[in-house]
């Protein structure tokens, strides 16, 4: 190999390396919109009507200005999970009693479901709202994802058994997402089709935006990850002023940071 060719290859390698490094090191600088003092054990998020939701002393609360709605159910133990996808029909999950409460927008109870009383045995650690009066349910007894019609009281299995333990899950109307203990990321649609979405970095907290994007934190640093159909991906740090935080929520380009004392809302433009 001639000296000229060797020099060209070295320059090409360095230039290529620098380009990749710059893409991975790109930072997102969101704009602060508002600060909101809050007294809560857990901040759950906002809806499109401007209400925000929280849990305080095991009581579910919906607040906007001077409007405050509350729901509590002492008989079902600790409130484990709340699904706010449909603010007109919210899902409250009480894992200790294997039960779900559906609430309307005034936090009135629509229905209560005890999966232990179902004709087909179901033990539910993971649940979320799906389409057509159905709930996503993961049944630990068969390790399969299913759909439960809460009007007809019917349960159907849609997936094959999962072989790895789930460390994180999230749902939308059309998909059940999960990340297993090996950091493999998957989705299952309402027809039972399972899609491998890649591998995620180690994380402390994570929120999936869609099949190609998610936000995650590690060591109190926040990152945005985006991938394409060509298997290329970028990770961008999101620069926020908070050094520690308990939770973050993302919706419609608004990033909310919960610090136990307040909620800080940022306007964020992703790459």
């Amino acid at each position: 190999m001639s000296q000229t060719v060797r020099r060209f290859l070295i320059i090409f390698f360095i230039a290529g390396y620098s380009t990749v490094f710059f893409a991975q090191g790109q930072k997102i600088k969101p704009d602060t919109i508002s600060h909101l003092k809050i007294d809560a054990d857990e901040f759950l998020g906002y809806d499109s009507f401007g209400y925000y939701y929280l849990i305080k002393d095991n009581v579910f609360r919906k607040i906007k200005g001077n409007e405050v709605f509350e729901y509590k159910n002492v008989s079902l133990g600790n409130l484990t999970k709340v699904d706010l996808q449909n603010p007109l029909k919210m899902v409250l999950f009480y894992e200790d009693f294997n039960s779900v409460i559906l609430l309307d927008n005034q936090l009135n109870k629509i229905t209560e479901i005890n999966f232990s009383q179902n004709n087909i045995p179901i033990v539910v650690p993971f649940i979320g709202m799906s389409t057509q009066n159905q709930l996503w349910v993961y049944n630990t007894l068969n390790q399969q994802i299913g759909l439960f019609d809460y009007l007809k009281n019917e349960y159907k299995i849609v997936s094959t058994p999962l072989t790895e333990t789930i460390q994180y899950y999230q749902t939308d109307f059309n998909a059940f997402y999960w990340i297993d203990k090996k950091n493999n990321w998957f989705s299952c649609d309402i027809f039972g089709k399972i899609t491998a979405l890649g591998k995620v970095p180690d994380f402390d907290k994570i929120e999936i935006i869609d099949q190609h994007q998610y936000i995650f934190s590690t060591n109190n640093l926040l990152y945005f990850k985006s991938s394409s159909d060509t298997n290329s991906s970028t990770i961008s740090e999101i620069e926020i002023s908070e050094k520690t935080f308990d939770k973050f929520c993302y919706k419609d380009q608004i990033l909310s940071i919960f610090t136990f004392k307040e909620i800080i809302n940022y306007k964020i433009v992703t790459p």
Side-chain angles (χ1 to χ4, degrees), residues 144-242:
Q144 290 174 286
I145 299 165
L147 290 167
F148 185 88
D149 189 316
Y150 52 82
L151 293 184
K152 298 178 181 178
N153 201 37
E154 293 178 352
Y155 166 65
K156 65 177 180 181
I157 297 168
V158 297
S159 81
T160 55
L162 308 188
T163 57
E164 294 289 341
T165 303
I166 295 175
Q167 68 163 317
Y168 175 82
Y169 84 101
Q170 191 176 314
T171 64
D172 60 30
F173 292 123
N174 298 306
F176 183 105
Y177 298 99
W178 76 96
I179 298 169
D180 66 22
K181 286 292 187 180
K182 295 181 178 179
N183 283 17
N184 297 306
W185 177 25
F186 299 92
S187 70
C188 176
D189 66 18
I190 57 175
F191 304 106
K193 180 184 177 182
I194 293 178
T195 303
L197 301 175
K199 206 173 183 89
V200 305
D202 290 335
F203 61 89
D204 298 323
K205 300 176 182 67
I206 191 167
E207 184 169 323
I208 296 166
I209 301 172
D210 56 34
Q211 290 195 352
H212 302 286
Q213 301 176 102
Y214 54 86
I215 294 174
F216 70 99
S217 67
T218 179
N219 296 322
N220 283 308
L221 294 176
L222 204 56
Y223 299 92
F224 171 79
K225 173 82 181 283
S226 177
S227 60
S228 68
D229 293 329
T230 60
N231 292 326
S232 62
S233 63
T234 58
I235 296 180
S236 304
E237 183 182 345
I238 303 172
E239 290 190 324
I240 58 175
S241 58
E242 292 70 40

Side-chain angles (χ1 to χ4, degrees), residues 46-256:
Y46 290 91
D47 65 21
S48 56
F49 302 103
Y51 291 92
Y52 66 91
Y53 299 82
L54 57 87
I55 299 172
K56 176 65 177 179
D57 298 327
N58 206 36
V59 177
F60 176 56
R61 293 177 179 169
K62 172 181 178 178
I63 302 172
K64 182 171 75 170
N66 294 324
E67 286 186 88
V68 180
F69 301 91
E70 292 187 347
Y71 177 83
K72 61 180 178 180
N73 194 320
V74 180
S75 63
L76 292 179
N78 291 324
L79 177 55
T80 307
K81 175 82 173 180
V82 178
D83 188 318
L84 300 173
Q85 288 184 84
N86 182 354
L88 304 178
K89 194 175 291 182
M90 291 167 280
V91 181
L92 275 61
F93 177 46
Y94 295 84
E95 185 175 2
D96 291 343
F97 284 79
N98 203 30
S99 295
V100 158
I101 303 290
L102 300 184
L103 302 178
D104 66 14
N105 63 332
Q106 303 291 310
L107 303 196
N108 298 309
K109 184 167 73 172
I110 300 172
T111 188
E112 180 174 344
I113 305 161
N114 186 335
F115 292 106
S116 300
Q117 298 173 354
N118 194 64
N119 293 331
I120 301 174
I122 308 173
V123 175
V124 182
F126 311 131
I127 196 163
M129 181 63 76
S130 185
T131 59
Q132 300 174 340
N133 302 314
Q134 298 182 115
L135 298 170
W136 288 107
V137 294
Y138 176 76
N139 188 357
T140 56
L141 298 179
N142 57 17
Q143 297 182 312
Q144 290 174 286
I145 299 165
L147 290 167
F148 185 88
D149 189 316
Y150 52 82
L151 293 184
K152 298 178 181 178
N153 201 37
E154 293 178 352
Y155 166 65
K156 65 177 180 181
I157 297 168
V158 297
S159 81
T160 55
L162 308 188
T163 57
E164 294 289 341
T165 303
I166 295 175
Q167 68 163 317
Y168 175 82
Y169 84 101
Q170 191 176 314
T171 64
D172 60 30
F173 292 123
N174 298 306
F176 183 105
Y177 298 99
W178 76 96
I179 298 169
D180 66 22
K181 286 292 187 180
K182 295 181 178 179
N183 283 17
N184 297 306
W185 177 25
F186 299 92
S187 70
C188 176
D189 66 18
I190 57 175
F191 304 106
K193 180 184 177 182
I194 293 178
T195 303
L197 301 175
K199 206 173 183 89
V200 305
D202 290 335
F203 61 89
D204 298 323
K205 300 176 182 67
I206 191 167
E207 184 169 323
I208 296 166
I209 301 172
D210 56 34
Q211 290 195 352
H212 302 286
Q213 301 176 102
Y214 54 86
I215 294 174
F216 70 99
S217 67
T218 179
N219 296 322
N220 283 308
L221 294 176
L222 204 56
Y223 299 92
F224 171 79
K225 173 82 181 283
S226 177
S227 60
S228 68
D229 293 329
T230 60
N231 292 326
S232 62
S233 63
T234 58
I235 296 180
S236 304
E237 183 182 345
I238 303 172
E239 290 190 324
I240 58 175
S241 58
E242 292 70 40
K243 302 304 180 184
T244 61
F245 53 89
D246 180 63
K247 184 176 182 177
F248 60 87
C249 295
Y250 174 84
K251 184 178 182 180
D252 299 330
Q253 294 189 318
I254 302 298
L255 175 68
S256 300

